[in-house]
Structure formats: C-alpha cells, structure tokens
Amino acid sequence: MKKDKIIGVLFILIGALILFYRDAGFYGFGGYVDQFWENIIVSSVMIIIGFLFIKKRNY
C-alpha cells in the first residue's frame, strides 16, 4: 500500500513538471508548431494516473 502512494506521488510530480516545462516548439512545413496542448494533455493524464494510484483500494 505504501508503494502505491509513493508511485502516485511520483506520477503527480512528473505531471506537474511536464505542465511547467517550456519547450520553444519547432518549425515544420506549415510554420511554427507549438507543443502547448501536448504538454497539457500529457500532464493531466499523468496527474490523473497519480491520483488513481493514491486512491487505489485493496479488496
């Protein structure tokens, strides 16, 4: 049980780091490509997984 909480907290911390990570983006064929939405989606998934690990119930 303690291991699940540690893993959950690590997922939440990694998700927060991804959320605040600033990547300048890159220039593709269509112009400048920003990775803003990608960072938000990945960080929210990581945070949700972290909360699921913390709230995991043993039956």
Side-chain angles (χ1 to χ4, degrees):
M1 176 122 162
K2 199 175 227 182
K3 190 174 17 174
D4 290 338
K5 287 189 178 186
I6 292 172
I7 292 171
V9 170
L10 286 175
F11 269 106
I12 292 172
L13 290 176
I14 291 171
L17 286 175
I18 292 173
L19 181 64
F20 295 119
Y21 178 69
R22 297 269 182 189
D23 193 7
F26 59 92
Y27 285 96
F29 292 111
Y32 186 73
V33 178
D34 192 14
Q35 295 179 342
F36 173 73
W37 289 107
E38 179 184 338
N39 288 348
I40 288 178
I41 292 169
V42 170
S43 66
S44 63
V45 167
M46 294 288 282
I47 290 172
I48 290 170
I49 289 172
F51 279 121
L52 289 176
F53 265 104
I54 289 174
K55 298 294 182 182
K56 185 177 174 183
R57 294 182 187 157
N58 294 330
Y59 291 107

